[in-house]
């Protein structure tokens, strides 16, 4: 089993729908991140959490919300999806001593 | 605004060539700089650099950090088609809110 698991792997949704992307990890890491990737723009940070009670906005948080349900789970929600949220979304985890970050396999989201 | 700049944006070389990828950042005090390779989906970790002037090596790949000039390079010698990927640089430190900030990446294509 993967250390960082994202579900779903692919999703097509309609404009205006609410959608949740889920991330779970078995690494026991405190720090979790949500990034989106668009061609030519690298990985842009949406939200991050350093422990269960800590949630922080990243550079592109508008239109997104998150929930840290447990140390192992960090969910990203699009309350009302719009086409420019079509992207590849990654969840990542990192240990408290801040060594390498581990990534999930990504969720390809298409909003039509 | 936090900024990590990678160059070139894309590069096409022939097998056997040596390539140098660049990553520059804008702050003087940071904890670590990380390099990742992204082929199909999830980025995979290559190196973490924390000290200036110390080269990290793994096979044909090597990387070095210059904290004074605020940049890092990733060298790949004797390139192979399997080196074709997006190479991502990320910086982490207190002035970034202790979060990982990524550059846009360099797309490397190695032709046979």
């Amino acid at each position: 089993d993967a250390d960082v698991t994202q579900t779903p792997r692919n999703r097509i949704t309609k404009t205006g729908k609410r959608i949740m992307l889920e991330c779970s990890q078995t690494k026991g890491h405190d720090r979790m991140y949500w990034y989106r990737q668009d061609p030519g723009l690298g990985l842009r940070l949406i939200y991050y959490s350093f422990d269960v009670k800590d949630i922080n906005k990243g550079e592109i948080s508008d239109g997104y919300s998150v929930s840290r349900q447990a140390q192992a789970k960090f969910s990203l929600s699009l309350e009302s999806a719009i086409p420019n949220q079509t992207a590849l979304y990654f969840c990542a985890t990192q240990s408290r001593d801040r060594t390498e970050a581990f990534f999930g396999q990504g969720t390809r989201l298409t909003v039509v | 605004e936090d900024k990590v700049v990678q160059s070139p944006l894309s590069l096409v070389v022939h097998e056997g060539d040596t390539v140098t990828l660049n990553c520059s950042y804008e702050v003087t005090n940071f904890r670590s700089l990380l390099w990742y390779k992204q082929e199909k989906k999830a980025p995979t970790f290559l190196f973490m650099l924390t000290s200036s002037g110390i080269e990290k090596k793994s096979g044909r790949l090597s990387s070095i950090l210059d904290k004074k000039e605020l940049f890092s390079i990733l060298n790949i010698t004797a390139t192979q088609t399997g080196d074709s990927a997006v190479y991502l640089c990320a910086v982490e430190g207190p002035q970034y809110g202790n979060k990982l900030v990524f550059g846009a990446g360099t797309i490397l294509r190695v032709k046979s």
Side-chain angles (χ1 to χ4, degrees):
Chain A
D1 288 341
D3 293 321
V4 184
T5 303
Q6 291 183 232
T7 56
R9 296 287 304 275
N10 289 283
R11 181 74 183 265
I12 299 174
T13 192
K14 292 184 177 180
T15 297
K17 293 290 187 182
R18 183 178 188 276
I19 183 167
M20 179 182 287
L21 309 183
E22 299 188 347
C23 176
S24 63
Q25 52 121 343
T26 58
K27 300 197 73 66
H29 288 167
D30 291 317
R31 299 157 70 95
M32 297 187 75
Y33 301 83
W34 274 105
Y35 294 92
R36 68 176 276 177
Q37 188 172 37
D38 301 276
L41 294 177
L43 290 166
R44 292 186 293 165
L45 185 61
I46 307 171
Y47 270 95
Y48 61 106
S49 168
F50 288 168
D51 67 39
V52 175
K53 295 181 181 178
D54 176 79
I55 301 288
N56 304 281
K57 291 183 177 181
E59 59 182 303
I60 53 163
S61 59
D62 288 348
Y64 301 94
S65 62
V66 291
S67 172
R68 185 83 184 263
Q69 302 94 323
Q71 187 203 43
K73 295 183 183 295
F74 192 36
S75 301
L76 176 72
S77 293
L78 287 68
E79 296 301 325
S80 179
I82 57 177
N84 76 1
Q85 291 177 314
T86 293
L88 184 57
Y89 290 83
F90 284 104
C91 172
T93 74
Q94 192 183 31
S95 66
R96 188 175 299 178
D97 62 4
R98 304 201 290 276
T99 51
E100 65 179 285
F102 294 85
F103 286 82
Q105 288 300 305
T107 295
R108 185 165 295 282
L109 176 66
T110 303
V111 183
V112 297
Chain B
E1 183 185 312
D2 305 333
K3 212 166 181 182
V4 178
V5 179
Q6 293 186 244
S7 63
L9 290 180
S10 65
L11 191 56
V12 181
V13 299
H14 290 279
E15 271 192 313
D17 288 348
T18 294
V19 298
T20 299
L21 310 182
N22 303 290
C23 176
S24 65
Y25 52 93
E26 293 195 338
V27 294
T28 57
N29 180 27
F30 75 106
R31 179 183 169 89
S32 58
L33 184 145
L34 296 88
W35 283 98
Y36 284 82
K37 178 182 181 183
Q38 185 180 23
E39 293 177 85
K40 292 274 168 49
K41 279 285 185 81
T44 54
F45 175 76
L46 293 174
F47 298 111
M48 184 173 76
L49 302 152
T50 57
S51 300
S52 196
I54 297 178
E55 185 181 46
K56 291 280 184 88
K57 288 197 74 166
S58 177
R60 296 176 293 103
L61 278 66
S62 64
S63 184
I64 196 161
L65 175 65
D66 187 327
K67 278 189 167 182
K68 184 177 177 185
E69 298 298 329
L70 310 183
F71 77 94
S72 173
I73 59 172
L74 175 68
N75 277 321
I76 309 175
T77 59
T79 52
Q80 302 170 358
T81 55
D83 295 326
S84 296
V86 178
Y87 290 84
L88 296 163
C89 169
V91 177
E92 188 261 345
Q95 65 294 334
Y96 286 123
N98 290 312
K99 61 185 184 292
L100 276 177
V101 178
F102 281 83
T106 293
I107 302 169
L108 173 65
R109 183 177 158 219
V110 181
K111 296 167 71 173
S112 57

